[in-house]
Amino acid sequence: MHYLHNFITHIICQMALYNKIVSLFLLALVALIPLQSSGQKIDTLSSDGLFQAARKAVFENTDYSTAKAYLYKALLISPDYADISIFLGRIYTWTKNYDSGRICFKQVLSKQPDYEDATIAYIDLEYLSDNYDKALDLCRTGLRNNPASEALMLREAKILNAQKKFDEADRSIRKLLIINEKNTEAIALSNSFKTANKKVDDINTPSTFSRIKDTISSDGLLIAAKNAAFDKNDYTLAKNYLYQALLISPDYADIKNFLGRIHTWTKNYDSARFYFSAVLKAKPDYEDASQGFIDMEYRNDNYDKSLSLCNEALIFHPESVALLIRKAKTLNAMRRYTEAEKAINKALILDKNNTAVRKISNRTKELSSKNTLALSYDYVTFDKQFDDPWHLVSFDYTRTTGMGSVTGRINYANRFKENGVQYEIEAYPRISKTLYSYVSGGYSDNVGVFPNWRAGFSLYANLPKSFEGELGFRYLKFSGDPTWFYTAYMGKYFKSWLFGGRTYITPSVYTNVVSASYNISARYYYGSADDFIGGNFGYGISPDDNYNSVQIDSKIRLVSYKTGLLFKKKISTFNVLSFDASWANQEYLPQTNGNQYQISIGCVHRF
């Protein structure tokens, strides 16, 4: 009880210093995390959330600069997310930054040459900038990849008409009418060719409404509606154009889809449902309409409907990563974690380098299993320092709760020809979507084999641009005075990688001089959150290293270098195996070094 009283007293004393560290940490967070609007909170930690924030900035506020900033962040998280690059390219087009727009569209088409939406957006850019030859070349390339695309056929006819190749334009539109004789837009365009025999300038127009000339074709009215929405933030005018367009082309899916989105942005959800439903009734495989419908229902907490729409869309697009992400998010919101894990694991198989998918996978993995049993064994041997090897066995049980996970652990060790047992408890309480913490404590009456007391606390933060950070302290007490360590960590997710750096600093009151240890690590995820291979390199001894922390019980600063490999593999839905090995070169006496070799094997079972 005397040690416990001293321990608690020391914690109170140390918290004054630690509070200063935490305050600085929180100030850094405030500087790094974007401010939220007073209304619906924006998810700025995932590429999907940033994508939605960018669309909102454009459609509700006509704020292209903010939208681009969100999209830049989203691409840092998910550099291969095609829809984000396309939307960024469209913003460049609307703001007449044509060269930047071309870069975005080229990047998408270099990886997905048959992506119709990227081709259409690129064609519209070249048409706007009067590059008819390039627009026509893109159109015909697109038609080779999507030969049944009526939207591309219409653009081909309009481009040819703009080039005054009236006969070719007429032949192109008649070809479309052979494929679909009921295409009202094609009929209207054909009639305009016959009556006017001049360019129908529905794309090559300035962005402001006052200079839009084509309001007689459905395509022209759709462009006018987009300009009214994007340039003037005038949704009423945009809807009027779209209503007129539907009179000309009542089955034009893009018009109804845009109407559905405008009604979503203006919170007319019943009207939005009407138009999304109409599009999907006529074209059940129209993925963009499905995504818009899903997002609307998800934002309104209609998770059952959102999930139903996901499942229906996945029938037509079973390998759509965007739809699988939406399904996993919806299932997580419904607390159906096992099903969410299946959806996000499929997305990982399809796109293992998608950082947004990786982060959702990690969150889903944590939520999906409430109970975890883990068993591990470490074998440590020395060439000089000790004659006998060390053995360490750990068994723990973890329970996931609404506040976070809680773990109870029993450690057994044989070191220095002595046996010892240590009891530990640790927890990861959640504070918010951005912050969570780590709290731990441990006791052993076999001092020397284990510390008598150990404890720790850390504050973690999920930071923008796929960074994560930590600040905290660790406490170890052997037979003499206790030792306090202050730790800091910064990690970065990049595609399938997680890179990290950590330091532990011990003030000079506990050693002859200020002591520090450092460790850098990297993990490559080749499958789920439980499938990775990693490596690390470190200097000094970590207080979190159970099999080596007993060597910290000294006021003499000794040099130690360590490198190791870690391999983890999911062998079934609920079972994971791990293996790691390390080598350390330690100065166990002044100017005297020895080598240490460690091998560990572990297994985890979730239920």
Side-chain angles (χ1 to χ4, degrees), residues 518-520 536-540 560-563:
Y518 310 95
N519 187 77
I520 56 174
N536 65 81
F537 177 80
Y539 167 85
S560 173
Y561 296 96
K562 175 185 174 181
T563 186

Side-chain angles (χ1 to χ4, degrees), residues 185 203 217 222 280 296 384 403:
E185 188 172 8
I203 300 177
S217 73
L222 177 57
L280 293 173
M296 187 204 72
K384 296 179 181 179
M403 294 295 294

Side-chain angles (χ1 to χ4, degrees), residues 583-603:
W583 164 82
N585 183 266
Q586 292 187 330
E587 184 185 21
Y588 59 93
L589 292 173
Q591 307 301 315
T592 305
N593 290 64
N595 294 311
Q596 172 185 304
Y597 308 93
Q598 174 264 341
I599 295 176
S600 174
I601 187 169
C603 59

Side-chain angles (χ1 to χ4, degrees), residues 413-448:
N414 178 275
R415 310 187 235 242
F416 317 115
K417 297 183 180 181
E418 293 185 26
N419 297 318
V421 177
Q422 181 187 53
Y423 305 94
E424 289 185 287
I425 186 168
E426 63 184 28
Y428 288 87
R430 294 188 178 279
I431 300 171
S432 68
K433 289 181 66 176
T434 301
L435 299 172
Y436 65 100
S437 59
Y438 162 78
V439 182
S440 71
Y443 168 78
S444 174
D445 60 0
N446 304 103
V447 180

Side-chain angles (χ1 to χ4, degrees), residues 141-309:
T141 300
L143 283 167
R144 285 196 293 271
N145 293 318
N146 301 278
S149 170
E150 296 179 21
L152 288 172
M153 291 180 188
L154 280 168
R155 279 167 170 77
E156 181 184 43
K158 292 169 185 176
I159 294 165
L160 289 166
N161 196 53
Q163 293 178 313
K164 298 184 179 180
K165 299 177 181 179
F166 303 122
D167 291 339
E168 291 183 60
D170 187 58
R171 284 196 297 271
S172 181
I173 206 67
R174 283 191 281 113
K175 178 182 177 182
L176 170 55
L177 288 170
I178 291 171
I179 295 173
N180 182 5
E181 62 181 8
K182 295 182 179 180
N183 188 312
T184 54
E185 188 172 8
I187 294 170
L189 189 59
S190 178
N191 291 335
S192 71
F193 287 167
K194 293 175 183 177
T195 57
N197 196 29
K198 64 180 181 178
K199 177 173 68 175
V200 180
D201 192 7
D202 62 305
I203 300 177
N204 184 26
T205 58
S207 59
T208 58
F209 167 68
S210 61
R211 299 174 65 187
I212 294 174
K213 298 178 181 178
D214 177 17
T215 56
I216 61 172
S217 73
S218 51
D219 260 348
L221 288 163
L222 177 57
I223 295 296
K226 289 182 177 180
N227 286 327
F230 299 152
D231 291 349
K232 302 182 70 175
N233 200 28
D234 191 339
Y235 296 122
T236 301
L237 180 60
K239 286 189 286 187
N240 287 336
Y241 280 134
L242 295 172
Y243 295 146
Q244 293 179 52
L246 285 178
L247 292 175
I248 300 170
S249 305
D251 298 322
Y252 197 156
D254 286 348
I255 293 172
K256 293 181 180 178
N257 188 47
F258 194 53
L259 263 172
R261 292 185 180 277
I262 288 178
H263 282 301
T264 299
W265 303 327
T266 55
K267 299 183 180 180
N268 297 309
Y269 299 123
D270 287 339
S271 297
R273 290 185 183 97
F274 172 81
Y275 286 107
F276 286 136
S277 297
V279 172
L280 293 173
K281 182 177 180 180
K283 298 180 69 174
D285 60 343
Y286 195 159
E287 184 176 354
D288 190 55
S290 294
Q291 290 182 19
F293 203 170
I294 292 163
D295 292 343
M296 187 204 72
E297 298 294 0
Y298 182 85
R299 283 196 294 268
N300 284 279
D301 300 330
N302 296 325
Y303 301 132
D304 288 333
K305 181 62 176 177
S306 177
L307 179 61
S308 174
L309 290 166

Side-chain angles (χ1 to χ4, degrees), residues 3 392 411 413 415-416 420-424 441-455 475-483 485 542-553:
Y3 288 140
L392 177 66
N411 300 315
R415 310 187 235 242
F416 317 115
V421 177
Q422 181 187 53
Y423 305 94
E424 289 185 287
Y443 168 78
S444 174
D445 60 0
N446 304 103
V447 180
V449 180
F450 288 105
N452 189 194
W453 294 95
R454 68 177 300 142
Y475 169 94
L476 292 180
K477 180 168 190 326
F478 295 89
S479 57
D481 294 332
T483 304
F485 308 82
S542 161
D544 287 333
D545 185 345
N546 260 358
Y547 59 84
N548 262 338
S549 60
V550 292
Q551 300 191 62
I552 294 176
D553 190 19

